[in-house]
């Protein structure tokens, strides 16, 4: 189901485009809006991450996808379709570059000005590349972080543990469900009641309250009984975190997933209401940036307070430490980032957030692939555990989809087997495969993905650029290069890829080359940085690393 009446989820057997490859990309574009946060403004998630530059650009993209031939390539620049080139049927159907600003100019203020002039748009990681699948896209990542914390600090479970976090937006909305799946009593502070209600409606969040006492009461009872519960507290995290600390309540785990990266369109300062903040956006960005930064200082100071008192505290990839440090919190970076702290060993083997979508719109197709995953990888504990949990607990949003952290070789194996199912008519329609941009080869982000790399190569952005070129050479259907927008300007570059499994032999070739080469480069990136696990994987799996 879609969330917005004007933005229905696509599906069904009838093609509007000339082939399934083009139709697939059209449906994925429709899907990101159907599960997006504010589709009327083309905003999908991450404060200002957009599906297209503006509505004219959107209409032209739809027209081209509907009418283009398989031997053509659509070129998209920051959400605006620029040209349709004659290529060949093994070339990508769509190539795009979103929000890439030359080094010295890659600053939030320049981004806002370019966006205001209509010259650029922030594609998020998966919004502009039409790969977003709602909060379910990040839920396994969030769950795996919670489980790594459970294993490292709490004997393997978060039952009887209090997790404090904030932000119930597109990505942050996964936290209450991931938290309860890990057994925790999780409190999510959210300034916008409508966002909390949305998460409750789709089954991700259990309770909503505006009262801190009531929230802490619900959490305390569940913690005591060792029961999982999720509570959304409507309030500002920069007020609530310090207040909880002041009361001497110490959560077991603390993080935050407000859109803190964007001081104008994302984070809401504690000194104003949500409506006041909204009315200042575009009108007084300087004031919003200053006040958001001040609030983030209070917010992060409380996180540090909890850390000193024994909470496990981590940064969840939203630049909150960076803004706090800029605001004078010198020890902000004593809080570790989730990637380095919990996920890097997986990235060393190119295990990362792989995903597939049922273009038919039929949930049965995803259930069939769930079975396939369990058949193909019975010994992969992370994935089998996840698929069993997900099929029970994670409701579909928009096109039925699943995410699973699979690595080199396994992604290709699954996609080829799924393509065979499509060919044999065992699914209601083709599938699309993609992955998050936060993956081994495809992201340089020195404050999230590549913080504290073993060889100091944190800020080297060659890897995602190489990845995108490798993916084009490997015949992927859509290839995107993104850089940061809003507060992320100058902080990141990433590459995205989408592949369509329409059951054809051509699709099998594309899936085989693109998925294998993407993860090969991922292993090489970490092997090159000196990680022994990656070097072993490179040798064992013979990924083509030259080993220099
Ligand atoms: P979003 O814009 O959809 O939602 C952000 C939410 O934070 C909104 O609901 C907003 O009302 C709320 N909020 C803002 N200021 C607040 C405050 N002071 N107190 C309480 N609530 C407040 O963003 P999103 O897509 O959920 O992403 C959240 C952050 O996570 C972004 O910075 C994003 O870039 C980052 N992110 C992390 C990962 C990851 O893998 N960890 C993945 C994607 C995005």
């Amino acid at each position: 189901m879609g969330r917005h009446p004007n933005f229905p989820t696509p599906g069904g057997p009838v093609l509007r485009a000339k082939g399934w490859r083009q139709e697939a990309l059209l449906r994925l574009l429709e899907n990101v809006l159907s599960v997006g946060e504010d589709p009327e403004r083309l905003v999908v998630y991450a404060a200002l991450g957009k599906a297209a530059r503006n509505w004219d650009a959107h209409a032209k993209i739809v027209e081209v996808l509907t009418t283009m031939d398989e031997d053509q390539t659509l070129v998209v620049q920051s959400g605006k379709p620029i040209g349709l080139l004659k290529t060949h049927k093994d070339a990508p159907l769509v190539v795009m570059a979103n929000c890439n600003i030359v080094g010295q100019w890659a600053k939030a203020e320049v981004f806002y000005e370019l966006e205001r002039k209509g010259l650029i748009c922030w594609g998020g990681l998966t919004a502009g590349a039409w790969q977003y699948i709602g909060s379910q896209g990040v839920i396994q990542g969030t769950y795996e972080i919670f489980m790594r914390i459970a294993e490292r600090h709490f004997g393997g479970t978060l039952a009887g543990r209090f997790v404090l976090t904030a932000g119930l937006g597109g990505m942050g909305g996964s936290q209450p469900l991931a938290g309860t799946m890990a057994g925790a009593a999780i409190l999510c502070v959210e300034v916008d009641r409508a966002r909390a209600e949305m998460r409750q409606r789709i089954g991700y969040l259990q309770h909503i309250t505006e009262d801190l006492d009531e929230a802490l009461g619900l959490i305390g009872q569940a913690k005591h009984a060792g029961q999982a519960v999720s509570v959304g507290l409507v309030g500002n995290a920069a007020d609530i975190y310090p207040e909880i600390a002041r009361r001497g309540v110490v959560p077991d785990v603390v993080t935050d997933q407000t859109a803190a990266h964007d001081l104008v369109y994302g984070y809401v300062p504690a000194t104003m209401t949500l409506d006041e903040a909204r009315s200042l956006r575009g009108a007084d960005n300087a004031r919003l940036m200053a006040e958001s930064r001040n609030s983030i200082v209070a917010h992060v100071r409380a996180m540090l307070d909890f850390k000193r008192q024994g909470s496990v505290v981590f940064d969840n990839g939203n630049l909150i430490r960076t803004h706090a440090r800029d605001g004078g919190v010198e020890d902000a970076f004593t809080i570790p980032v989730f990637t380095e702290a919990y996920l890097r060993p997986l990235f060393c083997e190119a295990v990362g957030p792989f995903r597939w979508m049922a273009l038919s719109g039929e949930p049965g197709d995803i259930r069939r692939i769930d079975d396939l995953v369990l058949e193909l990888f019975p010994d992969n504990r992370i994935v089998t555990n996840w698929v069993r949990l997900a099929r029970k607990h994670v409701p579909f949003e928009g096109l039925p989809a699943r995410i699973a952290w699979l690595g080199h070789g396994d992604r290709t194996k699954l996609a080829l087997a799924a393509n065979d199912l499509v060919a044999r008519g065992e699914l209601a329609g083709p599938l699309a495969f993609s992955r998050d941009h936060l993956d081994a080869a495809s992201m340089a982000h020195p404050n999230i993905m590549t913080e504290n790399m073993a060889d100091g190569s944190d800020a080297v952005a060659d890897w995602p650029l190489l990845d995108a070129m490798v993916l084009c050479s490997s015949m992927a259907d859509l290839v995107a290069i993104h850089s940061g927008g809003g507060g992320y300007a100058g902080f990141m570059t990433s590459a995205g890829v989408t592949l369509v499994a329409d059951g054809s032999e051509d699709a099998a070739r594309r899936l085989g080359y693109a998925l294998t080469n993407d993860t090969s480069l991922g292993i090489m990136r970490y092997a090159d940085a000196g990680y022994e696990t990656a070097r072993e994987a490179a040798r064992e799996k013979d990924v083509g690393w030259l080993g220099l």
Side-chain angles (χ1 to χ4, degrees):
M1 58 155 194
R3 291 187 197 150
H4 314 280
N6 295 336
F7 298 89
T9 300
V14 181
L15 299 195
R16 293 148 301 167
K18 290 187 177 170
W20 261 114
R21 291 176 71 205
Q22 301 93 311
E23 177 75 20
L25 299 180
L26 176 60
R27 290 187 185 198
L28 294 177
L29 168 59
E30 290 167 334
N31 192 49
V32 297
L33 292 173
S34 107
V35 295
E37 292 298 300
D38 188 0
E40 306 282 350
R41 291 170 51 232
L42 286 157
V43 169
V44 177
Y45 78 112
L48 206 53
K50 285 187 175 174
R53 182 99 59 97
N54 52 43
W55 283 109
D56 285 347
H58 175 271
K60 182 56 87 179
I61 291 170
V62 170
E63 181 193 316
V64 173
L65 289 174
T66 317
T67 53
M68 73 189 287
D69 289 310
E70 239 200 318
D71 58 359
Q72 292 182 302
T73 298
L74 169 64
V75 180
V76 179
Q77 180 258 325
S78 274
K80 178 178 171 182
I82 296 297
L84 186 61
L85 304 177
K86 172 85 179 148
T87 51
H88 53 85
K89 74 178 177 48
D90 286 335
L93 282 174
V94 177
V95 291
M96 49 170 70
N98 282 320
C99 208
N100 299 284
I101 305 176
V102 172
Q104 289 288 324
W105 282 263
K107 297 183 169 60
E109 292 81 352
V110 177
F111 163 80
Y112 292 130
E113 187 55 17
L114 290 170
E115 147 93 10
R116 193 186 62 75
K117 288 181 178 159
L119 296 174
I120 204 162
C121 84
W122 155 231
L125 306 184
T126 53
W130 317 330
Q131 294 154 341
Y132 183 75
I133 53 173
S135 303
Q136 58 185 333
V138 80
I139 191 165
Q140 195 197 352
T142 313
Y143 171 79
E144 294 301 339
I145 297 167
F146 287 154
M147 289 314 291
R148 293 297 88 74
I149 291 174
E151 283 159 13
R152 205 175 292 174
H153 303 281
F154 303 112
T157 173
L158 289 185
R161 304 290 167 184
F162 170 18
V163 177
L164 172 65
T165 186
L168 288 171
M171 296 288 94
S174 71
Q175 299 179 106
L177 185 54
T180 51
M181 286 169 82
I186 181 165
L187 177 60
C188 307
V189 185
E190 167 58 58
V191 76
D192 182 354
R193 190 179 175 97
R195 303 279 194 130
E197 284 171 353
M198 161 85 82
R199 262 74 230 183
Q200 194 178 44
R201 225 171 19 251
I202 62 170
Y204 274 59
L205 173 69
Q206 293 168 328
H207 304 276
I208 299 179
T209 174
E210 302 198 352
D211 182 52
L212 177 59
D213 292 320
E214 188 187 343
L216 289 177
L218 285 165
I219 293 290
Q221 277 164 18
K223 184 176 151 111
H224 187 67
Q227 282 169 353
V229 74
S230 59
V231 181
L233 173 62
V234 181
N236 194 301
D239 288 331
I240 303 286
Y241 279 39
E243 175 58 20
I244 293 176
R246 198 190 61 74
R247 294 181 181 201
V249 179
V250 182
D252 297 289
V253 181
V254 180
T255 188
D256 170 71
Q257 215 169 2
T258 59
H261 71 277
D262 192 315
L263 300 176
V264 174
Y265 292 88
Y267 197 82
V268 177
T271 45
M272 51 185 87
T273 63
L274 182 59
D275 284 341
E276 282 164 351
R278 282 186 178 144
S279 69
L280 286 179
R281 289 174 178 167
D284 194 348
N285 289 357
R287 180 170 158 212
L288 274 172
M289 288 175 86
E291 297 208 18
S292 288
R293 194 173 284 116
N294 285 343
S295 289
I296 284 175
V297 164
H299 190 155
V300 171
R301 287 213 165 111
M303 291 171 79
L304 287 163
D305 222 4
F306 290 131
K307 184 165 182 283
R308 276 188 291 275
Q309 295 186 67
S311 306
V312 176
V313 183
F314 69 96
D315 175 297
N316 210 343
N318 63 354
L319 235 50
I320 196 163
R321 297 168 306 165
T322 313
H323 292 311
R325 186 193 53 199
D326 293 350
V329 184
E330 280 168 16
D331 52 350
F333 274 77
T334 59
I335 297 173
V337 68
F338 72 107
T339 38
E340 189 200 0
Y342 302 106
L343 301 180
R344 188 154 297 161
L346 295 176
F347 289 128
C348 282
E349 297 188 67
V351 173
F354 188 51
R355 55 179 75 177
W356 48 95
M357 286 74 71
L359 297 166
S360 63
E362 292 298 331
D365 285 358
I366 295 300
R367 294 200 194 101
R368 179 67 188 89
I369 304 299
D370 285 344
D371 292 338
L372 185 62
V373 171
L374 297 174
E375 280 161 35
L376 290 177
F377 311 112
D379 301 328
N380 184 331
R381 198 179 57 82
I382 292 185
V383 165
T384 52
N385 174 46
W386 170 252
V387 165
R388 288 195 181 102
L389 273 174
R391 71 187 334 178
K392 195 160 151 205
H393 296 286
V394 182
F396 293 131
E397 301 173 71
L399 282 177
R402 186 72 79 219
I403 187 143
W405 280 56
L406 281 169
H408 181 74
D410 291 348
R411 296 185 187 187
T412 315
K413 192 171 164 182
L414 176 67
L416 291 178
N419 194 52
D420 275 349
L421 291 183
V422 178
R424 292 205 300 269
E426 291 188 30
L427 300 180
L431 300 169
F433 287 89
S434 74
R435 53 150 174 75
D436 199 23
H437 291 213
L438 185 127
D439 201 30
S442 53
M443 180 180 277
H445 191 323
N447 279 172
I448 297 183
M449 183 66 175
T450 49
E451 186 164 311
N452 293 328
M453 290 294 286
D455 62 346
S457 59
D458 306 19
V460 176
D462 291 341
W463 298 101
L465 300 178
L466 285 170
D467 192 33
M469 288 189 276
V470 164
L471 289 164
C472 287
S473 329
S474 303
M475 309 183 299
D477 290 294
L478 176 146
V479 181
I481 296 174
H482 288 194
S483 289
Y488 282 139
F491 277 85
M492 58 162 282
T493 296
S494 67
V497 60
T498 301
L499 287 140
V500 183
D502 61 7
S504 65
E505 283 179 19
D506 283 345
R509 279 194 314 131
R510 279 191 283 271
L511 291 161
Y513 282 118
L515 295 176
T516 307
N517 289 337
D518 189 33
T519 46
S520 295
L521 188 68
I523 291 176
M524 289 185 218
R525 194 269 175 267
Y526 284 87
D528 187 68
Y531 291 93
E532 202 38 55
T533 354
R535 291 183 169 197
E536 262 170 45
R539 285 188 287 265
E540 264 173 32
K541 297 178 193 225
D542 196 15
V543 298
W545 182 48
L546 298 175
L548 201 61

